[in-house]
Amino acid sequence: GSSGVTVIHELQVFGSPSSSSPPSYSTLAETNHLSGDDALPEADPNHNGISNLLEYALGGNPVDPAAAVAILPAFQVTSGESGFSFTRYRDRTDIDLSVEASLDLIAWTEIARSTRGGAFTTSTAGISVIESGSGNGVPVQVKIAAVPAASSRFLRLKVIP
């Protein structure tokens, strides 16, 4: 944008999901008739660049490439704050969501976490999480106080089974 700030985002998925109780990742795979390698959490059968597990976590559809962009976190940079917004699903009780920040892409610090579909909690000063809505899909905004002008800040969302 016009602020001269470059925003780079990264989404990572770690591990394999639990299949203990519906809805679960395995329900997503079955509902969308995924089998073999296409059913793996790290697979991308619709070739949209988003893994099946990340699509599950963010409410995507692993067989429809057209719907992908709408589920990805939207990044914002404003004077005094940076951050991103996305949707958390209360019924995703087999995964955790972790928001991490870095100044160098090497050392990452968890700044907020949603455990088993629950509300986000913060673990670092200067971080705010705003959640609104009463349905299953809860809009989430993670906001971070600005870093000095000479610094960069990187954010990532991790899905943890």
Side-chain angles (χ1 to χ4, degrees), residues 80-84 99-101 111 126-128 142-147 153-155:
E81 292 182 324
S82 63
F84 58 59
V99 177
E100 295 184 338
I111 59 172
I127 307 301
S128 65
V142 179
K143 295 184 177 187
I144 303 162
V147 295
R153 174 160 316 211
F154 304 94
L155 299 172

Side-chain angles (χ1 to χ4, degrees), residues 39-95:
L40 296 173
E42 65 275 7
D44 181 17
N46 60 5
H47 307 288
N48 64 2
I50 305 171
S51 72
N52 287 338
L53 186 58
L54 188 57
E55 294 223 33
Y56 166 69
L58 297 176
N61 181 336
V63 295
D64 181 6
V69 176
I71 69 165
L72 293 177
F75 290 82
Q76 306 102 16
V77 177
T78 60
S79 60
E81 292 182 324
S82 63
F84 58 59
S85 59
F86 55 93
T87 301
R88 172 181 65 80
Y89 289 86
R90 289 185 168 109
D91 66 356
R92 305 307 197 254
T93 59
D94 57 339
I95 59 173

Side-chain angles (χ1 to χ4, degrees), residues 11-15 41-42 51 53-55 157-161:
L11 302 172
Q12 292 189 342
V13 178
F14 295 90
E42 65 275 7
S51 72
L53 186 58
L54 188 57
E55 294 223 33
L157 176 65
K158 286 175 50 174
V159 179
I160 307 163

